[in-house]
Amino acid sequence: MEYVNPEGLRLDGRRPMEMRQLRAEIGAVSGADGSAMFEMGNTKVIAAVYGPREVQHRSQMVNDKALIRCEYTMANFSTGDRTRKPKGDRRSTEISLVIRQTMEACILTHLMPRSQIDIFVQVLQADGGTRSACINAATLALADAGIPMRDLVTSCSSGYLNSTPLLDLNYVEDSAGGPDVTVGILPKLDKVTLLQMDAKLPMDIFENVMQLATEGCKAVANYIREVLIQNTKQLEHRRGV
Amino acid sequence: MGGSANGATDLSSEMEVDAFRRLFPLRFHERHLVESVRPDARPLGKARETSLALGAVGSADGSALAKIGCTTMLAAIKMEVMTPATDAPDEGCVAIDFHMPAICSPIVRPGRPAEAAPVVSKQLSDTILSSGMIDLKELSLVSGKAAWMAYLDIYCLDADGALFDAALLAAAAAFSHLQIPVVSLNDDGRIVVVSKQNEVEKLKNKPVNEEKRKLKLKGIPFALTCILHKNYILADPTAEEESIMETLITIVLDSSCQLVSLYKPGGPALAYESVIQDCIALSRQRVRELQTILNEAISDMEVD
């Protein structure tokens, strides 16, 4: 199957180095301490952050830092076929763990000992790149909640089909059987916090593909910064500053 | 009892409003009720601002996003073909499920589903199926062999009181938006969904239900939840009001103002018949409002 046609256009009309349209909204859930809705093309996720608050299971409390908990769930109708088990299945558990460890690396947990920060992510529509969209949404939600972080965490995926590195794969491209590299970085510090890949790829091509994903992450970071600045301006305006 | 009340009045003159609201919530609300108003400046019988958006989920056959104040519900319907039951060969089936994911409220914890979720789920299921809004015979494809199973999933994205009202509104809107997929009988005698790419197959096997794409809904039910506290009736409570004044009464009327369901699950306040009549009157008004909002949302969709 042709994923990149001879003119260099992908199945959805994008160029190989083009990302899908990004859209973010802060404050999607009124009852949460921080929340955000993030869209990458047709992939829509909502993240809500509750915390820092009292640890729910006393036995798990840590005396010198905050406990981070993360749960990733998909809505029944988010994928093409209706999923029967959107929560406890292996994929959801794995992604919950990945998101937790990624965010834990950048939250300054030592500032909030004996407390708990809950990050809940709900996928409303899945069209590839759900992992990345969830991390981006979680970053925005944590910023909205005012939780101290070392840097933003942004994530993007890339792949290699028809001998072309492609940025930001959608569901069709993802299920094509080619490699799928997901990168999560701290943009200002220029450090990699998440790197996952499946399928085979020669080392030199892998470097190109990872570089492409990293640039995608930086583009997402610029967008997220803009959204946060807009949000702050609005808050200032409401306060009458 | 008297001592602590005096203690509260002494403190109330010095305290900040937010602190008073957290420490003495009942007194805070009662001070407002005496002036016939609520903390968010609504009169007692008025519901919050309601909005509806149809087609919120692109991948579903029918969907809607309903917001009453901050309470947000996302409903989506997915259709699958199944064999009908032997005792009802001409009828399809509707399965309704209500979920409260952990994002919706600070009291919902992962691993421990919210207490309200299965209660609202059952209430919704009973109300929708018994109201006769959907004629199950319309969901039949081939008598005795194939019929539609409609899975309705409602997700609460933000829980701020009146969950049942918002969920019912979202469900009714999703059914109004539903487009039944076109199917045809393929050579093995199986029902196959005709997708836009199968142009060749479309010519070979004539679609079974080309004409019947939308459901005819009659008597759409609309709900209003009220809180009873002493002599006051508060319509459309927020989560804060629901947690302090625990007596809820939910009234469901259909578009011709016939009573579909009345639900008062106990609670410390007892209701005289006159109180129930007042609640029904408030519901009648609310049904008219909701009907207008639903019709506007449907006509907006059709313009597109």
Side-chain angles (χ1 to χ4, degrees):
Chain A
M1 173 150 176
E2 210 180 58
Y3 294 98
V4 184
N5 72 14
E7 278 123 60
L9 293 178
R10 290 149 81 171
L11 292 171
D12 52 4
R14 282 185 286 157
R15 298 236 148 246
M17 311 251 189
E18 209 182 307
M19 263 188 100
R20 290 178 289 183
Q21 190 172 49
L22 300 174
R23 204 172 83 89
E25 206 183 278
I26 298 188
V29 178
S30 64
D33 293 318
S35 62
M37 196 269 302
F38 201 87
E39 284 181 46
M40 287 171 95
N42 283 331
T43 299
K44 291 192 199 1
V45 315
I46 290 191
V49 166
Y50 290 95
R53 56 179 176 178
E54 199 175 324
V55 183
Q56 263 154 7
H57 301 291
R58 277 307 197 77
S59 52
Q60 290 175 350
M61 182 164 76
V62 185
N63 276 320
D64 59 348
K65 49 187 189 154
L67 185 69
I68 312 280
R69 188 167 60 165
C70 178
E71 202 190 45
Y72 166 96
T73 47
M74 298 184 77
N76 274 337
F77 44 75
S78 56
T79 54
D81 305 311
R82 188 174 178 271
T83 42
R84 300 266 149 191
K85 210 166 178 256
K87 247 207 298 205
D89 67 319
R90 297 185 303 194
R91 182 175 173 271
S92 299
T93 316
E94 190 242 334
I95 299 185
S96 303
L97 180 72
V98 164
I99 299 179
R100 176 168 69 79
Q101 292 183 322
T102 309
M103 304 322 290
E104 208 166 353
C106 82
I107 297 178
L108 298 168
T109 48
H110 61 277
L111 292 179
M112 298 160 286
R114 290 186 290 279
S115 68
Q116 178 177 307
I117 299 176
D118 289 326
I119 307 172
F120 300 127
V121 191
Q122 176 81 27
V123 177
L124 299 177
Q125 251 187 252
D127 187 23
T130 47
R131 203 174 297 232
S132 302
C134 289
I135 291 176
N136 296 328
T139 298
L140 270 173
L142 286 166
D144 186 34
I147 290 182
M149 296 195 278
R150 283 191 183 87
D151 194 357
L152 303 173
V153 185
T154 55
S155 169
C156 191
S157 65
S158 61
Y160 189 74
L161 289 170
N162 291 143
S163 315
T164 330
L166 302 175
L167 179 61
D168 196 13
L169 306 172
N170 60 24
Y171 179 69
V172 182
E173 292 166 340
D174 202 355
S175 32
D180 170 20
V181 178
T182 306
V183 175
I185 61 167
L186 301 175
K188 269 260 168 68
L189 300 176
D190 217 358
K191 292 192 171 169
V192 175
T193 149
L194 166 71
L195 179 57
Q196 282 187 303
M197 185 187 104
D198 49 23
K200 292 194 292 212
L201 204 54
M203 273 311 294
D204 46 350
I205 301 186
F206 170 72
E207 289 198 21
N208 282 345
V209 174
M210 183 178 154
Q211 187 58 36
L212 185 58
T214 310
E215 312 231 326
C217 293
K218 297 214 171 104
V220 175
N222 286 337
Y223 177 71
I224 285 185
R225 266 189 218 110
E226 253 177 57
V227 171
L228 285 171
I229 290 179
Q230 282 295 83
N231 187 48
T232 310
K233 285 200 178 131
Q234 248 189 353
L235 290 173
E236 273 184 335
H237 179 70
R238 279 194 209 135
R239 268 199 171 188
V241 169
Chain B
M1 199 49 217
S4 64
N6 283 340
T9 26
D10 286 340
L11 285 171
S12 68
S13 48
E14 317 166 351
M15 221 185 263
E16 265 188 5
V17 177
D18 285 327
F20 188 70
R21 186 177 193 156
R22 283 300 197 94
L23 292 174
F24 307 107
L26 194 53
R27 295 177 60 87
F28 176 79
H29 281 84
E30 281 180 346
R31 281 286 281 117
H32 288 78
L33 293 179
V34 166
E35 318 282 337
S36 293
V37 81
R38 291 146 84 169
D40 55 1
R42 277 190 285 158
L44 299 188
K46 189 155 182 283
R48 291 169 287 181
E49 195 178 304
T50 310
S51 68
L52 256 186
L54 298 185
V57 179
S59 51
D61 299 312
S63 60
L65 179 73
K67 275 184 91 143
I68 298 186
C70 288
T71 301
T72 310
M73 299 279 167
L74 180 61
I77 303 177
K78 282 257 187 187
M79 308 283 280
E80 276 178 22
V81 183
M82 56 139 201
T83 30
T86 37
D87 55 352
D90 285 318
E91 289 182 358
C93 195
V94 177
I96 303 175
D97 209 0
F98 177 72
H99 310 256
M100 280 183 75
I103 54 170
C104 73
S105 156
I107 38 182
V108 177
R109 289 154 35 185
R112 247 259 183 109
E115 218 175 62
V119 174
V120 175
S121 189
K122 174 110 196 353
Q123 252 188 297
L124 269 177
S125 203
D126 288 343
T127 307
I128 293 180
L129 295 176
S130 67
S131 69
M133 170 171 85
I134 303 163
D135 183 4
L136 293 177
K137 294 200 167 32
E138 283 197 64
L139 293 176
S140 170
L141 280 170
V142 177
S143 171
K145 298 251 181 62
W148 285 117
M149 169 74 123
Y151 289 105
L152 170 66
D153 289 296
I154 305 180
Y155 277 78
C156 178
L157 300 179
D158 197 340
D160 193 23
L163 299 181
F164 179 72
D165 301 355
L168 188 60
L169 182 62
F175 275 112
S176 312
H177 177 251
L178 179 64
Q179 278 262 5
I180 301 182
V182 184
V183 290
S184 61
L185 213 52
N186 76 359
D187 302 319
D188 303 327
R190 278 161 160 239
I191 296 273
V192 148
V193 175
V194 173
S195 54
K196 294 191 190 86
Q197 286 143 339
N198 306 0
E199 288 299 335
V200 179
E201 280 179 50
K202 211 173 177 176
L203 298 169
K204 256 203 302 187
N205 304 306
K206 195 173 118 32
V208 166
N209 64 343
E210 188 98 67
E211 339 74 39
K212 231 182 1 161
R213 301 297 302 285
K214 282 248 180 192
L215 284 184
K216 241 193 305 277
L217 302 173
K218 41 181 164 31
I220 303 180
F222 297 103
L224 178 65
T225 302
C226 301
I227 280 194
L228 305 179
H229 180 69
K230 298 193 182 157
N231 303 346
Y232 306 106
I233 302 176
L234 284 71
D236 190 24
T238 61
E240 191 188 352
E241 289 168 347
E242 275 182 3
S243 62
I244 307 167
M245 300 171 269
E246 291 164 339
T247 311
L248 292 177
I249 174 169
T250 303
I251 299 187
V252 182
L253 300 175
D254 72 3
S255 28
S256 51
C257 285
Q258 285 190 309
L259 186 63
V260 173
S261 139
L262 199 153
Y263 183 72
K264 181 186 183 298
L270 304 174
Y272 287 104
E273 198 184 309
S274 54
V275 169
I276 302 205
Q277 297 285 12
D278 291 336
C279 291
I280 296 184
L282 283 172
S283 306
R284 224 175 269 139
Q285 226 181 339
R286 180 71 172 147
V287 164
R288 265 177 249 131
E289 279 170 32
L290 291 176
Q291 184 82 68
T292 324
I293 293 175
L294 182 60
N295 290 340
E296 265 175 32
I298 295 176
S299 54
D300 283 341
M301 257 326 319
E302 271 157 24
V303 165
D304 297 333

